[in-house]
Amino acid sequence: MSSDRTPLSLTVFLLLAFGLSWLFAAPLWLGDGLDSPLFLPLSLAMMATPAIAALVVVFFVERPEHRARALGLWPLGPAGRLIGYLALAMVVPVVLILAALPVGALLGVYPADFVHLSGFQEQLDSQWEALGDEIPQPPLGLLFVLQLMGVATGAFLNLLPALGEELGWRGWLLPRLYRFGAVPALLVSGVIWGLWHAPLILLGYNYPDAPRWLGLLAMVGMCVVVGMVFGWLRLRSASVWPAALAHGSFNAAAGFSFVFVQAGETVDTVHSTILGWSGWIVPLVLVAVLFATGQFRPAQAEPAQAAERPAA
């Protein structure tokens, strides 16, 4: 892409990504907000808007020779490198989400019960009470193990909607901003990602007990920090797939904050969990280590000719 098309490409991308997200969220604002029965389908539709924006830019504005490569969808190799970063994409987000909880507990902002899982038990009791006495409640330990196992399944189930976001943010946007340097690219793409969530955050999503402006500010902070981790996976793998899988894994593991909470307590997500400032400490340490070891330099993708050559 020639440099003189960069402003046009960025403008079209941002207008489409933000405009479509507000368009899809409009029924929530005009109706029952987060309590609307349309919330799930509309939120999933919103997740597709960055991908729509990126596809429009690549196919109608930039029109590169290899469109899939321009989005990070292809090539799927070298195989060893890609598989390695896909494995990291499954594990790293879960570790960061879990690490945020003891850090929050140590700082006094997350009311934890790591031994008895009393909050988890409280939730299960409420759910089984709603089902009636006909169905016996499984042991707490079994349900906890199933919760852990469900993260892997959830990561792949979330892969397609997560790709709707990552195709835009890390597939297309991050490499375009990288010409301005790694730090500006990561910071600006993270801020854009956070602000894009405004249609839902300003309705109370993720930060229900905070003033709406503070919730949006916290979401921007979280997206900058976590976006750096996703950006590392994108740059070092030369592929959008690890970032998309990491996003899916992140969404699948987000509920652990409710597993380890103390019964009868509420979680202030501005201050605790991966959504709040205390949860950003461990990811920032990881990012600092990655910067110190040069891990934000883009890896080289396979040459187009080699990637497209048929196997002998």
Side-chain angles (χ1 to χ4, degrees), residues 15-99:
L15 286 175
L16 284 173
F18 279 75
L20 289 174
S21 68
W22 277 100
L23 180 64
F24 286 132
L28 303 179
W29 280 82
L30 298 173
D32 297 326
L34 302 181
D35 295 325
S36 170
L38 297 174
F39 171 76
L40 181 59
L42 289 175
S43 61
L44 290 174
M46 279 186 61
M47 292 182 72
T49 59
I52 294 171
L55 289 169
V56 168
V57 169
V58 167
F59 276 85
F60 298 104
V61 179
E62 298 176 350
R63 291 179 289 180
E65 182 180 357
H66 303 289
R67 292 176 173 86
R69 293 173 65 86
L71 293 165
L73 291 168
W74 192 263
L76 299 178
R81 181 178 71 188
L82 181 61
I83 291 172
Y85 281 103
L86 287 172
L88 287 171
M90 284 288 296
V91 174
V92 171
V94 179
V95 171
L96 295 180
I97 286 173
L98 291 175

Side-chain angles (χ1 to χ4, degrees), residues 218-281:
M219 190 67 185
V220 170
M222 191 278 292
C223 286
V224 169
V225 174
V226 174
M228 289 182 178
V229 178
F230 292 176
W232 158 63
L233 294 169
R234 165 66 170 108
L235 294 171
R236 295 307 299 163
S237 67
S239 171
V240 73
W241 293 106
L245 185 59
H247 197 145
S249 178
F250 184 88
N251 289 350
F256 276 125
S257 61
F258 299 104
V259 172
F260 295 104
V261 71
Q262 188 176 350
E265 297 288 342
T266 58
V267 178
D268 187 344
T269 48
V270 169
H271 301 288
S272 64
T273 79
I274 195 69
L275 295 170
W277 61 265
S278 67
W280 307 341
I281 296 174

Side-chain angles (χ1 to χ4, degrees), residues 12-253:
V12 172
F13 174 80
L14 293 174
L15 286 175
L16 284 173
F18 279 75
L20 289 174
S21 68
W22 277 100
L23 180 64
F24 286 132
L28 303 179
W29 280 82
L30 298 173
D32 297 326
L34 302 181
D35 295 325
S36 170
L38 297 174
F39 171 76
L40 181 59
L42 289 175
S43 61
L44 290 174
M46 279 186 61
M47 292 182 72
T49 59
I52 294 171
L55 289 169
V56 168
V57 169
V58 167
F59 276 85
F60 298 104
V61 179
E62 298 176 350
R63 291 179 289 180
E65 182 180 357
H66 303 289
R67 292 176 173 86
R69 293 173 65 86
L71 293 165
L73 291 168
W74 192 263
L76 299 178
R81 181 178 71 188
L82 181 61
I83 291 172
Y85 281 103
L86 287 172
L88 287 171
M90 284 288 296
V91 174
V92 171
V94 179
V95 171
L96 295 180
I97 286 173
L98 291 175
L101 304 181
V103 171
L106 286 172
L107 294 173
V109 294
Y110 177 70
D113 182 358
F114 296 117
V115 177
H116 303 292
L117 307 181
S118 58
F120 189 39
Q121 182 69 68
E122 185 179 57
Q123 295 174 60
L124 295 174
D125 291 343
S126 176
Q127 293 170 2
W128 250 264
E129 183 179 349
L131 292 174
D133 298 330
E134 296 80 9
I135 304 176
Q137 183 173 336
L140 178 65
L142 174 61
L143 293 174
F144 177 69
V145 171
L146 292 175
Q147 182 87 6
L148 289 173
M149 295 173 60
V151 172
T153 303
F156 287 99
L157 291 176
N158 290 330
L159 178 60
L160 185 58
L163 183 63
E165 288 195 45
E166 292 305 316
L167 201 63
W169 309 135
R170 257 65 63 174
W172 184 85
L173 180 62
L174 180 61
R176 298 312 179 279
L177 294 175
Y178 197 86
R179 68 189 63 216
F180 304 111
V183 173
L186 292 164
L187 290 176
V188 172
S189 62
V191 170
I192 290 172
W193 183 30
L195 292 175
W196 171 85
H197 287 87
L200 298 184
I201 301 300
L202 294 177
L203 286 173
Y205 189 64
N206 281 343
Y207 304 93
D209 300 320
R212 298 298 183 248
W213 65 268
L214 182 58
L216 183 58
L217 185 62
M219 190 67 185
V220 170
M222 191 278 292
C223 286
V224 169
V225 174
V226 174
M228 289 182 178
V229 178
F230 292 176
W232 158 63
L233 294 169
R234 165 66 170 108
L235 294 171
R236 295 307 299 163
S237 67
S239 171
V240 73
W241 293 106
L245 185 59
H247 197 145
S249 178
F250 184 88
N251 289 350

